[in-house]
Amino acid sequence: MPPGLPGPGPTEQALNQPRAIVPTRLPGGRLQLEPVIAALVADGVLAPADAERARAGGRATRGLDAVHPLVLLANLKLPSARRPGTELGLEALTEWLAQAAGHPYLRIDPTKIAVADVTDLVSHAYARRHRILPVEVTPERARIATSEPLALDWLPDIQRLLRREIDLVVANPLDLHRYTMEFFGVTRSIRGAKDIREGGTEAPTFEQLVELGRSGDVNADDHHIVHIVDWLLQYAYEQRASDIHLEPRRDIGRVRFRIDGVLHKVFEMPPPVMTAAVSRIKVLGRMDLAERRRPQDGRIKTRSPGGREVEMRLSTMPTAFGEKVVMRIFDPDTAFKPIEQLGFDPGEAAAWNDLVQRPHGIVLVTGPTGSGKTTTLYSTLKKLATADVNVCTVEDPIEMVSVELNQMQVHHAIDLGFAQGVRTLLRQDPDIIMIGEIRDLDTAQMAVQASLTGHLVLSTLHTNDAPSAITRLLDLGLPHYLIASTLNGVLAQRLVRTLCPHCKQPRPVDPEGWRALVGPGSDLPPPAGACGPVGCLECRNTGYFGRLGIYELMPMTPPLRALIRADMELAGFSRAAVAGGLRTLRMAGAEKVAQGLTTIEEVMTVLPPQE
């Protein structure tokens, strides 16, 4: 083992076994198929009978020397001798190789790699030749992933040139090859966003790019910029991002993805390249390229790497250092999920379906921005929009275009607001009307008028909980008797991250945290056990994977309608709703904790403040 190689860092998981002497059955140098098969059999990973099949598969692929032996074995889908009923996949084989070579195993997470920094350490050709990829760099150390942990002839040269301590980790050979191509490709596009105006063929330096940006020579149609934007979109789909943020700064522009509700910085680029990328996105969104002083909205319809059609809503905002762009990704598989898959329990789903299947009245969905209101409404409308029902919407903007709905876009520049839109829809013989948001008295009055004339109206409000929707409508100026006669019910909701099913572990419930969650007036006992986050390869060591909703559904019963008055006290109304059977957001969150789906800490981050 070369000197100067430290042991695994504290962030490595149980996969990172202590350093060991390289076994003699795995000779040094590039991995060869036959020694790898023999070592797998000797370690009890591969049965002798299956080893013959592996050798036969190797003979069938003779001549493919560039293919990594682990990839060849993974493609044969051999059974694991250690875990009956499972296959020897590429990840399992890579973990075995890491343990055999005495190095930590790493599954590359591209969201945690500073691409510009790591690609400056070595050239693309050098990385491909030695099957290595830097994944982390600091002034004192560099972490380098390899798929050939026994061929380390390059290591002394790297240590001498970089003058840093080197941490070696073993990575999946396919991931290593893929990210090597992507990282160096996008870096090359940034550096070559525009050739030097004097006709030079070398990629411009950072300083030259800055000068080119000031002179306006980096443009949105440059093939390098097209490549960068295409790569960002594909990257976002693969990382399950819901939003892409392009944020200009004085010295460097940064790109962040929101994944499961949390922002992650994934990339940085020089300001002129950021400006050109923003312009490219505005072109795709059919926005005014010359206008940079006022906000604009647009949309892109594209396809994910898997071939699914994806809608993206664009929003630009002028800032001190240029235009900031946020792209919200609407995956149809998420936006049109069945109600039961959104987080509703059977009782809530039945009560919600009863509310939205009534012939007339108003049903409201409340919560802050990003709480899943749009997904709930679209999933509901998708179910209601049968062949014998006319469903019309007025939105600002249209979030997801659906062929089952008649959707109208609000245009304030031509005095087409929500109130005017609803007035138009009433002349279109609708059965169900969805209003994007009730923001003012005119819109609220039109919603009431529509419900009184025999239509079902669905809309949203920005309130902390379900009872607060009543006081919000009163604050807008709507008479209390109209609210009492037209409102069918209110659904308040939040989104919480769910624990990763691959790594979550049982853990005792913290009594103090449980009391803080359910509130001082609740006698709900803590569950016998719950689950906590651990972190694994599937969830990028966060312990969470995906999100689901917690709901507070308040149907308007006769006793609650009788309490709606112009001088209504919210606290008293809320107590009456709870006494009548309302399950609050806190109770819903506590139930998800008891089911082992999420944690107390996660629920507490999304709850409204305790009154």
Side-chain angles (χ1 to χ4, degrees):
M1 187 65 57
L5 297 182
T11 59
E12 303 298 343
Q13 306 259 329
L15 294 173
N16 302 332
Q17 303 295 326
R19 294 281 169 90
I21 297 174
V22 177
T24 56
R25 61 178 179 269
L26 270 179
R30 284 288 181 100
L31 294 174
Q32 301 297 322
L33 185 62
E34 181 57 39
V36 169
I37 293 174
L40 286 168
V41 173
D43 282 354
V45 178
L46 185 65
D50 295 317
E52 290 303 318
R53 179 183 162 197
R55 293 186 179 95
R59 287 192 293 270
T61 57
R62 187 168 295 165
L64 300 178
D65 295 334
V67 180
H68 197 283
L70 296 190
V71 176
L72 291 175
L73 293 172
N75 289 339
L76 295 175
K77 299 182 177 180
L78 302 167
S80 171
R82 287 183 179 175
R83 299 179 180 178
T86 62
E87 293 180 352
L88 277 178
L90 189 54
E91 293 295 341
L93 288 168
T94 308
E95 291 179 36
W96 166 83
L97 175 62
Q99 294 171 5
H103 296 301
Y105 167 76
L106 174 72
R107 184 168 182 180
I108 298 175
D109 182 356
T111 64
K112 297 179 180 178
I113 296 177
V115 176
D117 293 339
V118 300
T119 53
D120 280 340
L121 292 186
V122 297
S123 69
H124 186 195
Y126 192 87
R128 291 188 61 187
R129 182 163 65 251
H130 295 289
R131 291 179 174 173
I132 63 174
L133 177 65
V135 293
E136 184 180 350
V137 57
T138 67
E140 297 80 22
R141 324 178 72 84
R143 174 174 288 191
I144 297 180
T146 177
S147 60
E148 294 285 355
L150 307 179
L152 302 179
D153 53 311
W154 52 271
L155 188 57
D157 295 333
I158 288 288
Q159 286 179 315
R160 185 174 61 256
L161 291 173
L162 299 184
R163 297 180 181 178
R164 292 177 172 93
E165 294 290 337
I166 304 297
D167 291 342
L168 282 183
V169 292
V170 180
N172 177 325
L174 287 184
D175 281 353
L176 192 78
H177 175 76
R178 172 194 171 187
Y179 291 121
T180 299
M181 299 295 291
E182 287 190 1
F183 291 169
F184 283 95
V186 74
T187 302
R188 186 168 54 248
S189 291
I190 288 177
R191 290 173 178 167
K194 189 70 177 176
D195 287 340
I196 304 303
R197 283 176 292 174
E198 286 75 9
T201 57
E202 292 185 0
T205 64
F206 183 91
E207 291 77 10
Q208 290 167 330
L209 274 175
V210 172
E211 292 302 320
L212 288 170
R214 290 172 179 168
S215 64
D217 285 345
V218 182
N219 61 77
D221 297 326
D222 188 280
H223 71 278
H224 294 297
I225 299 299
V226 172
H227 174 221
I228 291 168
V229 172
D230 290 347
W231 176 79
L232 280 176
L233 297 183
Q234 176 182 337
Y235 201 7
Y237 301 145
E238 293 174 350
Q239 300 302 317
R240 302 182 296 106
S242 60
D243 301 85
I244 307 172
H245 293 243
L246 276 70
E247 301 170 325
R249 295 293 187 267
R250 183 189 304 277
D251 300 319
I252 198 74
R254 65 181 182 180
V255 180
R256 297 196 288 174
F257 293 167
R258 188 177 294 278
I259 303 172
D260 292 338
V262 180
L263 279 173
H264 301 265
K265 188 177 76 171
V266 298
F267 201 67
E268 292 181 341
M269 60 181 71
V273 179
M274 173 68 77
T275 300
V278 169
S279 297
R280 169 66 181 169
I281 292 168
K282 290 173 67 175
V283 169
L284 294 175
R286 298 180 179 87
M287 302 159 80
D288 186 351
L289 196 60
E291 180 56 76
R292 300 182 180 182
R293 299 170 300 172
R294 61 180 178 87
Q296 296 187 63
D297 294 314
R299 69 174 55 249
I300 297 174
K301 179 178 285 189
T302 182
R303 291 191 178 274
S304 69
R308 295 178 302 174
E309 192 173 83
V310 176
E311 291 265 355
M312 303 184 69
R313 192 183 77 191
L314 313 181
S315 174
T316 67
M317 179 182 77
T319 70
F321 303 112
E323 283 185 289
K324 178 183 184 293
V325 174
V326 174
M327 295 180 278
R328 174 160 288 186
I329 302 172
F330 293 98
D331 188 340
D333 291 347
T334 301
F336 295 120
K337 274 186 176 180
I339 286 295
E340 294 74 17
Q341 296 181 16
L342 298 180
F344 285 90
D345 65 28
E348 287 173 335
W352 174 252
N353 287 329
D354 175 69
L355 283 180
V356 298
Q357 289 175 357
R358 296 181 185 180
H360 54 78
I362 300 174
V363 179
L364 298 177
V365 181
T366 75
T369 300
S371 60
K373 301 188 299 296
T374 298
T375 299
T376 299
L377 284 176
Y378 273 125
S379 298
T380 301
L381 292 176
K382 183 87 170 179
K383 183 176 181 179
L384 296 176
T386 58
D388 56 344
V389 173
N390 178 19
V391 180
C392 299
T393 75
V394 52
E395 306 172 58
D396 182 25
I398 296 175
E399 305 275 11
M400 279 288 298
V401 177
S402 174
V403 295
E404 291 89 353
L405 312 177
N406 301 297
Q407 297 169 281
M408 180 192 299
Q409 168 78 50
V410 165
H411 290 287
H412 295 287
I414 56 174
D415 293 327
L416 177 57
F418 283 115
Q420 293 81 3
V422 176
R423 189 175 291 111
T424 299
L425 293 184
L426 287 176
R427 295 192 286 268
Q428 291 288 314
D429 187 29
D431 297 295
I432 300 172
I433 295 174
M434 194 275 276
I435 305 172
E437 181 183 352
I438 294 179
R439 300 175 180 172
D440 50 40
L441 178 59
D442 288 344
T443 306
Q445 289 174 333
M446 289 307 305
V448 167
Q449 181 179 338
S451 66
L452 289 174
T453 53
H455 305 89
L456 179 66
V457 179
L458 281 71
S459 189
T460 68
L461 276 179
H462 286 96
T463 63
N464 281 334
D465 54 21
S468 299
I470 309 299
T471 55
R472 172 65 176 151
L473 293 175
L474 290 171
D475 291 342
L476 289 176
L478 206 60
H480 66 91
Y481 54 87
L482 288 181
I483 300 174
S485 61
T486 58
L487 188 62
N488 289 346
V490 183
L491 176 73
Q493 68 176 78
R494 298 292 190 278
L495 289 178
V496 295
R497 292 186 296 170
T498 52
L499 289 167
C500 175
H502 304 282
C503 66
K504 66 180 181 180
Q505 294 291 335
R507 75 176 185 187
V509 177
D510 174 27
E512 292 297 326
W514 181 262
R515 282 193 290 271
L517 172 60
V518 299
S522 174
D523 57 356
L524 189 66
C531 291
V534 176
C536 68
L537 302 175
E538 297 296 331
C539 62
R540 303 182 187 87
N541 287 322
T542 64
Y544 296 91
F545 190 95
R547 292 190 290 177
L548 56 74
I550 56 174
Y551 302 95
E552 178 179 287
L553 182 58
M554 185 183 72
M556 294 301 298
T557 60
L560 290 182
R561 295 183 191 275
L563 293 176
I564 300 177
R565 302 187 303 272
D567 58 348
M568 185 188 77
E569 182 188 357
L570 177 59
F573 185 85
S574 298
R575 287 193 295 270
V578 172
L582 173 67
R583 190 178 69 160
T584 65
L585 286 169
R586 290 181 175 274
M587 297 177 188
E591 182 176 315
K592 294 293 189 288
V593 171
Q595 293 171 354
L597 297 176
T598 188
T599 62
I600 293 175
E601 297 79 10
E602 178 64 21
V603 176
M604 292 295 289
T605 62
V606 302
L607 288 178
Q610 185 75 42
E611 296 295 337

